[in-house]
C-alpha cells in the first residue's frame, strides 16, 4: 500500500481540491484495506474488492481513489444513506468490514487545534493526527452479494414491455405477468413533462 501523502496527492487530482473529506476518506479506505490484508487493490488484488459507500460527498471520491473501485466497473456500490461510512468486501474470502467515521471526530478536531479558525483546515490537520480508534468505528459484517452484483457478471439483457428500453443485471420487475423496468413499475425519480 502507498503512503497517506501519496494517496492524498492522487485524491486531490481526482477530486479537484484537497479537503477534510479527502483526508477522512483516504484514511478510512486505507484502514479497510489494511484490515482485510489487501495491499495492492489497483493491480494484483484488483478483482478482490467490492466497496459500498453510503454518502455522495468528498470522502467517497477519496475512497474510490484508494480502492480503485469505480461505479463504471461495478466495484463501487452506492447506498444513499447520508453517512460517512463504507463497507469493504473481499470477494475472494467473503470477509467484509464496515467502517464509519465517528460523529465525535469534529469535536475532537476543535479540541486539538483551536488555534486554527478555518474549519476545513482544522479538520484537515486533525484528521491526519487522530488515531484510527478515535476517528473510526469498525464492524465485521456479512454482505449478501448475489451473482448479478459482481463486477464481471454476464447476464441476459431483457426489454421492458412498457417502454421498450433494455435492462441489465436483473433490475427488471415482474408485475401482473409483465416484465417491466423499475421506472415503469412505479419507481420513477423523474416525471415526464
Ligand atoms: Zn472536497
Ligand atoms: Zn420501462
Amino acid at each position: 500500500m502507498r503512503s497517506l501523502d501519496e494517496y492524498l496527492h492522487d485524491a486531490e487530482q481526482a477530486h479537484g481540491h484537497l479537503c477534510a473529506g479527502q483526508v477522512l476518506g483516504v484514511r478510512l479506505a486505507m484502514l479497510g484495506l489494511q484490515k482485510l490484508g489487501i495491499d495492492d487493490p489497483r493491480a494484483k488484488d484488483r478483482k478482490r474488492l467490492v466497496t459500498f459507500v453510503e454518502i455522495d460527498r468528498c470522502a467517497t471520491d477519496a475512497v474510490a481513489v484508494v480502492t480503485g473501485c469505480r461505479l463504471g466497473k461495478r466495484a463501487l456500490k452506492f447506498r444513499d444513506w447520508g453517512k460517512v461510512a463504507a463497507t469493504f468486501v473481499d470477494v475472494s474470502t467473503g470477509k467484509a468490514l464496515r467502517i464509519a467515521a465517528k460523529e465525535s471526530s469534529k469535536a475532537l478536531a476543535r479540541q486539538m487545534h483551536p488555534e486554527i479558525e478555518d474549519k476545513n483546515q482544522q479538520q484537515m490537520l486533525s484528521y491526519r493526527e487522530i488515531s484510527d480508534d478515535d476517528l473510526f468505528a469498525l464492524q465485521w459484517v456479512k454482505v449478501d452479494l448475489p451473482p448479478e452484483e459482481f463486477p464481471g457478471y454476464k447476464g441476459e439483457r431483457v426489454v421492458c414491455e412498457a417502454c421498450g428500453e433494455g435492462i441489465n443485471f436483473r433490475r427488471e420487475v415482474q408485475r401482473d405477468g409483465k416484465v417491466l423496468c423499475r421506472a415503469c413499475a412505479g419507481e420513477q425519480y423523474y416525471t415526464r413533462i
Side-chain angles (χ1 to χ4, degrees):
M1 212 185 304
R2 299 162 64 196
S3 72
L4 176 66
D5 282 316
E6 286 172 316
Y7 280 130
L8 283 176
H9 172 81
D10 290 357
E12 183 178 4
Q13 303 278 310
H15 183 61
H17 63 242
L18 199 57
C19 61
Q22 300 298 297
V23 181
L24 205 56
V26 166
R27 283 200 56 192
L28 191 147
M30 287 177 75
L31 183 62
L33 294 179
Q34 184 201 324
K35 293 283 179 191
L36 284 171
I38 294 177
D39 52 31
D40 198 3
R42 312 198 65 137
K44 173 169 68 70
D45 298 325
R46 195 162 39 89
K47 293 189 170 158
R48 260 179 80 182
L49 192 66
V50 167
T51 302
F52 288 77
V53 289
E54 299 182 15
I55 197 163
D56 48 356
R57 279 213 62 199
C58 301
T60 293
D61 280 349
V63 169
V65 164
V66 174
T67 60
C69 291
R70 288 166 190 281
L71 200 59
K73 288 186 191 162
R74 308 193 75 232
L76 189 71
K77 313 284 189 191
F78 178 44
R79 297 291 181 268
D80 195 358
W81 292 359
K83 296 163 97 174
V84 182
T87 298
F88 305 92
V89 185
D90 183 344
V91 296
S92 71
T93 62
K95 278 173 83 178
L97 180 66
R98 181 175 180 272
I99 304 180
K102 284 187 176 171
E103 203 50 35
S104 53
S105 59
K106 282 195 178 96
L108 198 54
R110 276 197 299 275
Q111 272 175 32
M112 287 176 77
H113 290 290
E115 78 284 3
I116 306 176
E117 266 175 46
D118 181 83
K119 236 185 188 173
N120 184 52
Q121 296 294 331
Q122 183 187 64
Q123 288 168 4
M124 266 175 63
L125 182 60
S126 302
Y127 292 169
R128 299 176 72 109
E129 297 171 347
I130 298 174
S131 69
D132 285 339
D133 285 347
D134 284 335
L135 209 48
F136 301 116
L138 278 66
Q139 42 188 170
W140 290 99
V141 296
K142 187 177 175 299
V143 177
D144 283 321
L145 265 190
E148 64 269 23
E149 296 303 327
F150 277 75
Y153 177 75
K154 300 256 191 308
E156 195 193 351
R157 183 175 168 86
V158 301
V159 171
C160 173
E161 289 180 40
C163 69
E165 292 179 358
I167 311 157
N168 279 15
F169 309 128
R170 295 191 186 165
R171 268 32 175 191
E172 69 273 19
V173 176
Q174 307 275 348
R175 182 75 47 88
D176 302 326
K178 278 190 171 171
V179 174
L180 300 175
C181 71
R182 291 172 71 162
C184 292
E187 284 185 53
Q188 247 161 345
Y189 65 89
Y190 52 88
T191 47
R192 220 183 262 215
I193 51 171

